Amino acid sequence: MNGVPPRWVPETLSGPRFARYLQAAEGDTDLAIRLYQWNLDASSAFYHLLHWIEVSWRNAMDRQLRHRFARADWWSTAQLDPNGADKVRRAQGQLDRRKPGGTADDLMTEFTFGFWVSLLSRGRAYDRTLWVPGLHRAFPNYSGPRAPLHREVYPVLHFRNRIMHYEPIVDLDLEWYREQIYRLLGYVSADVVKLVRELDRIPEVLDRRPLPRCRGGEQA
């Protein structure tokens, strides 16, 4: 099979985007199309795990910051950097368009995962104002400083964004991302990790990945 895709592929997916799958398929167009479909399945399987880490981290961090600043809208008092303050303004604008007069809890749910991850950045500034005074308590099963935690979660944020924007993940080490997410989720709650593992279908999807014929894959 040559590497020239059917006309509908570049018209629908774009040539550069499909090239990622074609490369993973070692030039086999039919296999590349099947890998595209498998990429959808793998992304869907990861959605379950990403949901839990985003929701658990968001709620754990928000709970501690409410306590730290003694108010539900803690972001109005916290000394956020310009990037964080801009994320708050954007979330507020989205909420105002969707639900005018929304509560602080409504606004909190509008914040992106990137916003929460950014609260672990900013070096000593956030160490003094957020991490040491209370934010570290959001992660009862983590005993290290703030900076290594930020380095651990940042690749997962990037991975999450790729999935949410329908990007290829076919060329990534998906088993590594799976275990990394579990590690980060475990910092918040071992009980949640146990629950999520019972419902996890990622291993089964990874086992179904189409392979080139020379590696034992099905004939096209």
Side-chain angles (χ1 to χ4, degrees):
M1 179 67 66
N2 62 45
V4 180
R7 174 185 290 182
W8 67 265
V9 170
E11 290 178 350
T12 305
L13 305 179
S14 84
R17 181 177 298 270
F18 187 69
R20 299 273 292 276
Y21 299 97
L22 198 58
Q23 181 179 10
E26 300 179 0
D28 186 326
T29 300
D30 286 351
L31 176 59
I33 293 173
R34 287 190 286 128
L35 279 173
Y36 185 88
Q37 294 293 334
W38 178 85
N39 194 87
L40 296 177
D41 290 340
S43 297
S44 176
F46 267 101
Y47 181 86
H48 173 80
L49 190 51
L50 290 168
H51 166 91
W52 280 106
I53 187 173
E54 184 162 351
V55 168
S56 65
W57 272 47
R58 177 191 74 191
N59 291 334
M61 295 173 76
D62 178 65
R63 184 166 54 252
Q64 294 302 327
L65 290 170
R66 286 183 184 220
H67 179 75
R68 159 76 175 90
F69 293 99
R71 56 189 301 163
D73 61 340
W74 53 264
W75 48 86
S76 64
T77 301
Q79 296 177 330
L80 300 177
D81 68 0
N83 178 61
D86 183 61
K87 290 180 184 294
V88 171
R89 284 192 294 270
R90 291 184 184 184
Q92 184 68 67
Q94 292 173 348
L95 179 62
D96 289 344
R97 290 189 292 272
R98 182 176 61 82
K99 186 179 179 180
T103 65
D105 188 67
D106 292 326
L107 181 56
M108 184 272 289
T109 62
E110 293 286 336
F111 296 152
T112 65
F113 191 42
F115 171 76
W116 299 104
V117 171
S118 74
L119 299 182
L120 300 174
S121 64
R122 288 279 290 146
R124 293 181 180 178
Y126 278 0
D127 269 340
R128 292 192 304 268
T129 61
L130 301 180
W131 179 257
V132 173
L135 188 54
H136 69 279
R137 296 188 181 93
F139 310 98
N141 301 321
Y142 176 77
S143 57
R146 171 202 51 77
L149 182 59
H150 182 258
R151 287 195 295 269
E152 280 193 60
V153 73
Y154 193 79
V156 170
L157 169 64
H158 182 65
F159 178 69
R160 177 259 185 215
N161 290 343
R162 287 184 69 165
I163 286 180
M164 296 305 175
H165 290 92
Y166 318 121
E167 292 291 329
I169 60 172
V170 68
D171 52 353
L172 300 178
D173 184 348
L174 299 182
E175 186 58 44
W176 181 88
Y177 281 100
R178 175 175 175 264
E179 290 307 316
Q180 183 70 357
I181 295 170
Y182 274 122
R183 179 195 302 275
L184 294 165
L185 187 57
Y187 292 155
V188 174
S189 172
D191 291 332
V192 173
V193 168
K194 181 179 179 180
L195 170 67
V196 177
R197 282 195 183 275
E198 291 175 354
L199 303 173
D200 186 358
R201 65 184 187 90
I202 294 172
E204 136 191 11
V205 173
L206 297 186
D207 286 343
R208 295 203 309 265
R209 176 185 172 122
L211 297 173
R213 284 171 290 179
C214 63
R215 299 184 190 174
E218 297 177 0
Q219 293 288 330

